[in-house]
Amino acid sequence: AMMNRIKQYRLAAGLTPADISAMFKIPYRTVQKWEKGELVPPAWAEAQIVNRLQEKQKNDRPALPARKAPHIARPAKKV
């Protein structure tokens, strides 16, 4: 059986089924059933979850190449 997209993206984002349940306010059993193929998630729900996980992955990944922060001149401390 082909791994479903929700599980695929969840694993890529380093999340557990419980994380998905909490993030999207979906019952844990529902997430489990989707991943086992016992239930087919509605297309809108799958799309929303996949999009959010893709965003999360993009935002969590350190930007490469790492750019140096611009130098910020700080006023000299008064003694």
Side-chain angles (χ1 to χ4, degrees), residues 13-69:
L15 298 172
T16 65
D19 294 329
I20 298 299
S21 170
M23 269 174 88
F24 297 96
K25 298 182 176 35
I26 295 166
Y28 180 72
R29 285 292 297 133
T30 301
V31 176
Q32 277 187 321
K33 286 178 179 181
W34 286 349
E35 292 199 357
K36 287 181 180 166
E38 292 169 17
L39 275 179
V40 176
W44 63 266
E46 185 181 52
Q48 200 173 30
I49 292 169
V50 167
N51 290 342
R52 176 104 171 257
L53 293 179
Q54 282 178 316
E55 280 304 303
K56 181 175 173 18
Q57 251 192 305
K58 252 186 261 165
N59 298 337
D60 288 354
R61 209 178 288 142
L64 293 175
R67 275 184 295 197
K68 275 189 177 168

